[in-house]
Amino acid sequence: MTALRRWWSNPWRRPRVLAAITWGYLLWALIPVAVAIQFSFNAGRSRSTWQGFSTRWYWGDPTRSVLHDASLRHALGNSLTLALLTMLVCAPLGVLLAFGLTRWRGYGQRPANFLMVLPLVTPELVIGSTLFLCFTTMYTFVPLGRPAQLLGHVTYNLSTVVIVVRARLLMLGRDYEDAAHDLGASPLQAMRTVMLPLLGPALFASLMVVFATSLDDFVISQFLSADAGSETVPMKIYDSFRGTQTPAVNALATVMLVITVVAIGLGVIGYRVLRGALGTNTSAVEEFAALEV
């Protein structure tokens, strides 16, 4: 008993209890996902009884597989298109807002910073329902469907880009930009040849997070959907539980999961590679500015 008390009161012991809790949570969260992936390879039509291994629901079935079912391919295409468009819109807006909020000094700075963080702490259900009311009562020139969904996804994900890029911008400070100005670069040249390359790793990582978040979004896409033509993969999976569906839906969800994991992995790897290749030393910054000037 004394040895156990001494072990428990030792602050330098290995955190076995914390590790056990962490692994327990991961197993609790991932085992259902693993079961769903398993039944995507089921040879039969059941989503609860294992009937043998097969890739039938990915490409083998001539009519109901992900490859051959037009509705499944359309939902996947909608999700990918929406995620890519969200990235393209969030990239320039996020960088500009990050610069503006970082360099802004004066009245209204703190409220603007608060409003930028607000979407991250607001329940997605509130954002989705609010956007639906806005597009149906105020901004009626924006039709429901992909245009409204795109604006909704940008509204929800823009804060991610701004916060990540701004954190990198605050870490860099004004020294590199001032060095470029001392070498004769204009503000636009300093922005394009010095600051943007240095912000590249943070921007790339944040855009991968935006891509994954937009790809998996259900609430905003559902609220702002017009018809089956704007149905995304999360909406398709949700609708499948209201009727009899084949394991092709499991296969579609598995494809989405793989794409999401690859996007997050690319974000982590790309951030490290870009930081290692670019570096943040003064000589590199001076070379960028000198080449442009």
Side-chain angles (χ1 to χ4, degrees), residues 34-269:
V35 172
I37 294 174
Q38 173 192 350
F39 280 98
S40 71
F41 295 98
N42 197 8
R45 295 173 56 90
S46 176
R47 298 169 67 184
S48 57
T49 303
W50 183 250
Q51 298 168 294
F53 180 86
S54 174
T55 56
R56 169 186 179 184
W57 305 111
Y58 287 91
W59 60 77
D61 194 291
T63 57
R64 296 184 177 90
S65 63
V66 175
L67 183 62
H68 297 97
D69 190 327
S71 64
L72 299 181
R73 285 189 286 108
H74 183 72
L76 182 59
N78 280 342
S79 292
L80 291 173
T81 302
L82 197 57
L84 290 173
L85 290 176
T86 303
M87 285 176 54
L88 292 176
V89 176
C90 284
L93 288 180
V95 172
L96 292 174
L97 284 172
F99 269 99
L101 292 175
T102 303
R103 304 294 166 78
W104 186 3
R105 296 292 183 270
Y107 179 77
Q109 177 192 7
R110 291 185 177 180
N113 289 329
F114 174 77
L115 290 176
M116 182 52 59
V117 180
L118 191 61
L120 293 179
V121 297
T122 303
E124 193 176 0
L125 183 64
V126 175
I127 294 179
S129 58
T130 303
L131 288 173
F132 174 78
L133 292 176
C134 287
F135 290 135
T136 55
T137 59
M138 297 174 58
Y139 309 128
T140 55
F141 57 89
V142 179
L144 293 178
R146 183 172 294 173
Q149 287 175 329
L150 175 60
L151 292 177
H153 283 217
V154 170
T155 302
Y156 184 71
N157 290 289
L158 184 60
S159 298
T160 301
V161 179
V162 174
I163 290 174
V164 175
V165 173
R166 190 183 179 197
R168 174 72 170 163
L169 192 60
L170 290 172
M171 184 181 69
L172 293 173
R174 296 291 298 264
D175 294 340
Y176 301 119
E177 195 171 0
D178 291 340
H181 291 159
D182 291 341
L183 291 171
S186 66
L188 183 60
Q189 289 173 332
M191 169 82 71
R192 184 167 59 88
T193 61
V194 177
M195 299 308 296
L196 287 182
L198 291 175
L199 294 174
L203 179 60
F204 180 79
S206 64
L207 289 180
M208 290 298 100
V209 175
V210 168
F211 178 82
T213 304
S214 177
L215 198 67
D216 297 334
D217 182 86
F218 168 74
V219 176
I220 294 177
S221 300
Q222 176 72 16
F223 268 105
L224 303 180
S225 175
D227 49 32
S230 56
E231 188 177 44
T232 61
V233 171
M235 296 167 59
K236 188 71 175 178
I237 295 173
Y238 175 77
D239 291 338
S240 70
F241 289 99
R242 299 189 296 180
T244 303
Q245 290 289 338
T246 65
V249 177
N250 295 52
L252 181 63
T254 303
V255 172
M256 282 281 293
L257 177 63
V258 171
I259 295 175
T260 302
V261 171
V262 169
I264 297 298
L266 286 176
V268 174
I269 296 173

